[in-house]
Amino acid sequence: FNDIGETEFSYNVKNGEMVEVVQFYDEKGSVKPPVSSNRLVERNDIIYMVNHEVPFNGCVIDTYQNGQYKYRYFLIDGLQSGLFISWTMNGKVTGEYLSINGNINGDYSEYWDNDSLRYRGEYIDNFRVGTHKSYFENGKIDSLVEYDSLGVKDGVFQSYYENGQKGFLGEYSKGVQTGEYKTWKSDGNLWITGQFGKNGKLDGIKKMFDPDGGSSEFLYKNGVLSRVRYYDEYDLWFQSDYKDGKKQSIKHYPNSPSHPLHSVFTFEDGNDDVGWKETCFTDGTLKEKYQVDGVTGFNKVGEFYEYKQDGSLWIKGEYTDNKQTGLWGWYDED
C-alpha cells in the first residue's frame, strides 16, 4: 500500500518466496498495463519511467515482431522483483529466475532453443551458491563449478568436451585455485598435469604430453619458473634453467640415454640477446665454446674456442654475424 492506503501491487507467497505474477494498480485501483523497456531508464541502479522522478512500479514486457513475448519481469520501487522469464521467437522458454529487491534468489535456469537445459544453479542475493552446471545443446554437461555461501569458488571445477569427454579437473579454495589439476584433449588423452600451492600460484612440476610420446616438464616454485625439461619418446632432449624467472642456460642432450651432455647455451645475466654455446664430444668433454645471439642460439657473434678431446686449446678466433673475422690462432700440444 502507499502512504494513503491505496493498493499499489500484490503477489502470492509460498514457502516464504514470491511466486507467480505481480499485479500492479493505478490510483483508481485499476490494473496497470505492462510497459515496454524502451519507456524506462536506469539511474544509479534504479529504474524510472522516462522523464519521471519516482522509481517505477509495474510489469515490463518486450515482444518480438511476431507478437511473441521476448521477456517479462516486474519492478517494485525501481528494482527487479518477482519471476523473470525469457522466450524464443517461437515461444520456448530460454531463461527463468526469481529476483527480490534487484537480486537474483533461488533456482536460476537457462534453456536452449530445443528446450534442453543450458544452465542451472542457485543464487542468494545475486551470489552463486552450491553447484552450478552448464550444458551443451546435445544435453551433455559442459562445466560444473562449486561455490560457497558467499559466491566464491570453493570446491571442484570440471569442464567437458561436447562429445562427453572430460576436459579439465581442478579445485578451488576460497576463490583460489589450489592442489592438483589435469586437462585432457578431446580424444581422451591426458594433456597437462600441474599443481597449485595454497596461494594460487604454480608450485611443483607441470607436465605437458605430446601425441608422439614426448613430454615437457616445467618446475615452479611459488609461481616462479626455475626449470624446463623436454623429453622425446626415448629420453631427456633438452633442459632450460631459470633464475628469478630469467633464462640462464639451455642444455641439449642426444636421443639416447647412453650419451651424456651434447651442448649448452648459457645466457649472460638472463639476457636473451647474447649468450654462450658449448658443444661436447660424445664422452661429454668440452669441444667448442663460442658466443651466440640469444634469439636464435645459432648465429656466432663473438669469441670462438675449440678444444681437443684431452681438454687442450686447439683454435681461438672471432665471429661477426656468423662469419670469421679478426685474428685466428691454432695451438699445438705445448
Side-chain angles (χ1 to χ4, degrees):
F1 304 92
N2 60 19
D3 294 339
I4 60 175
E6 297 173 335
T7 302
E8 290 190 310
F9 58 86
S10 63
Y11 54 84
N12 293 328
V13 176
K14 183 178 181 181
N15 296 326
E17 291 187 353
M18 184 184 302
V19 296
E20 299 179 355
V21 300
V22 183
Q23 197 72 271
F24 295 88
Y25 306 91
D26 59 20
E27 295 83 354
K28 298 179 181 180
S30 302
V31 174
K32 290 172 61 176
V35 301
S36 173
S37 62
N38 59 19
R39 297 180 60 190
L40 305 173
V41 63
E42 182 177 339
R43 307 185 200 120
N44 298 322
D45 299 325
I46 304 296
I47 305 300
Y48 299 81
M49 186 80 80
V50 175
N51 297 324
H52 285 64
E53 299 302 321
V54 178
F56 181 72
N57 284 322
C59 176
V60 182
I61 295 178
D62 278 359
T63 61
Y64 294 99
Q65 291 182 344
N66 63 359
Q68 166 62 45
Y69 280 8
K70 190 174 185 179
Y71 48 76
R72 181 192 67 189
Y73 60 92
F74 308 95
L75 294 171
I76 297 177
D77 293 331
L79 296 173
Q80 191 172 322
S81 298
L83 187 63
F84 172 97
I85 303 180
S86 60
W87 293 267
T88 67
M89 190 176 292
N90 298 322
K92 295 182 178 180
V93 174
T94 60
E96 190 174 46
Y97 61 87
L98 178 70
S99 287
I100 300 176
N101 294 327
N103 295 321
I104 302 175
N105 279 271
D107 291 334
Y108 177 97
S109 302
E110 294 180 10
Y111 300 88
W112 293 99
D113 290 349
N114 62 4
D115 291 336
S116 65
L117 186 62
R118 182 174 185 173
Y119 188 95
R120 174 161 290 170
E122 184 181 356
Y123 281 79
I124 296 179
D125 290 337
N126 250 15
F127 293 117
R128 295 174 178 175
V129 297
T131 301
H132 282 239
K133 295 181 179 180
S134 61
Y135 299 85
F136 292 105
E137 197 167 2
N138 62 8
K140 294 184 180 295
I141 188 169
D142 179 4
S143 66
L144 180 152
V145 186
E146 293 182 341
Y147 296 86
D148 65 12
S149 60
L150 299 177
V152 177
K153 289 180 181 178
D154 193 72
V156 174
F157 173 82
Q158 296 179 349
S159 67
Y160 299 81
Y161 292 98
E162 198 165 357
N163 62 4
Q165 171 59 48
K166 188 181 295 184
F168 179 88
L169 174 62
E171 187 173 348
Y172 281 81
S173 177
K174 304 302 179 183
V176 176
Q177 189 170 353
T178 61
E180 185 180 8
Y181 73 94
K182 296 180 179 179
T183 63
W184 291 264
K185 295 185 178 180
S186 59
D187 59 7
N189 287 319
L190 185 63
W191 184 21
I192 302 173
T193 64
Q195 186 84 19
F196 283 91
K198 294 182 179 180
N199 58 2
K201 296 181 179 180
L202 286 169
D203 199 77
I205 295 178
K206 171 185 173 181
K207 287 187 176 182
M208 298 181 65
F209 301 92
D210 295 336
D212 59 4
S215 64
S216 300
E217 288 185 355
F218 304 82
L219 179 61
Y220 288 88
K221 183 66 175 178
N222 198 29
V224 179
L225 182 64
S226 63
R227 187 185 69 207
V228 177
R229 283 181 171 176
Y230 180 75
Y231 297 83
D232 62 13
E233 55 183 322
Y234 304 106
D235 201 2
L236 179 64
W237 185 18
F238 71 81
Q239 173 177 311
S240 298
D241 291 294
Y242 295 77
K243 183 178 180 180
D244 298 329
K246 295 182 178 180
K247 190 184 297 181
Q248 298 294 309
S249 66
I250 301 176
K251 299 176 182 177
H252 178 229
Y253 298 83
N255 290 335
S256 171
S258 62
H259 287 78
L261 180 66
H262 175 65
S263 65
V264 181
F265 291 98
T266 304
F267 299 96
E268 297 179 350
D269 298 324
N271 187 350
D272 284 354
D273 294 331
V274 179
W276 286 87
K277 179 178 180 179
E278 300 177 10
T279 62
C280 303
F281 292 100
T282 56
D283 63 357
T285 58
L286 182 62
K287 180 181 180 181
E288 293 178 340
K289 178 180 179 180
Y290 51 87
Q291 285 183 299
V292 296
D293 65 15
V295 178
T296 67
F298 298 105
N299 291 333
K300 301 179 179 69
V301 294
E303 299 176 47
F304 175 90
Y305 302 90
E306 186 169 347
Y307 300 87
K308 296 178 181 179
Q309 199 156 1
D310 62 8
S312 61
L313 180 63
W314 181 27
I315 304 173
K316 179 182 178 181
E318 188 174 347
Y319 278 89
T320 300
D321 196 20
N322 234 20
K323 295 179 180 180
Q324 290 175 291
T325 58
L327 182 65
W328 280 67
W330 276 256
Y331 298 81
D332 58 22
E333 290 79 357
D334 297 328

